[in-house]
Amino acid sequence: MKILVVGRSGQLAWELRRTLACFGEVVALDRQSEPAIDLAEPGAVAALVRAVRPDLIVNAAAYTAVDRAEQEPDLAWKVNAEAPAVLAAEATRLGIGLIHYSTDYVFPGDGAVPYREDDPVGPRNVYGRSKLAGEQAIAASGAAHLVLRTAWVYGVRGQNFLRTMLRLMAEREVVRVIDDQFGAPTWVRMIAEATAILVASSLRSGTADLAGASGVYHLTCSGQTSWYGFACAIREQAVAAGLLPDTAARVEAIPTSEYPTPAKRPAHSVLDLGKLEARFGIVLPVWDQALELCLADLAGR
């Protein structure tokens, strides 16, 4: 089986290249690869897919600069909405499946209980609206698909909250972190490993048949915390793992009002994980257990 992973150098794509290799040839492409694929030019995406002729498309690329998207809405829309629409159309044409990753930011975040897949959406920023449009385009295409909504993704590569906190805690005496936004921090490797399980469960005659399971699923680590709680856990566990000294910066809680950003964030974007467990039997670890595994992996490098 040939799997096209879109987004070669991103933190999720890097993990997918490892977890999906057992199924056959993984062709991972981005703007710097040869051949190159640029989701900012959706018109060129179809030709690239036709040249590769994959048996499965996994779109791990996205415009994820949430605040910058407020100033670059057209670019965010091309990458997050138009390009997935093209990938879905090509998947339909080839008769293959598409796995695509979306976000908790499709929800307004004004509730107090975890969001189910069929709950009303209402993104509060350009990024969320563009990702929702991508979801809707995929659903309308008729392609066999899995749209996996995840949240608060981090890892040992790329730009993410974990790496930022480790750097700031080593440089400063105090790190001030928001304590009134809640979600489920999710190690990117867990997403990649869950994706491999989904592919394995769909294999039919050597190809991934997603038709029977098409739809939206929530995929995050279990449990919930605030950004402040996440930062405190990072400090505690990083010190224990020898990644930070005992003198690392202390963490101070602040409200969202003291840290204004161009893009509005959902205050409570915890996702209900019941559908994924019921359909595939997948349950990711509680977020702080996954963090411990991630930091142990980092410390062992």
Side-chain angles (χ1 to χ4, degrees), residues 103-116:
T103 175
D104 58 323
Y105 278 29
V106 301
F107 294 111
D110 52 5
V113 297
Y115 283 104
R116 294 166 54 92

Side-chain angles (χ1 to χ4, degrees), residues 243-261:
L243 294 167
L244 287 174
D246 293 339
T247 54
R250 73 176 191 278
V251 185
E252 180 180 302
I254 62 170
T256 298
S257 59
E258 291 191 22
Y259 190 75
T261 56

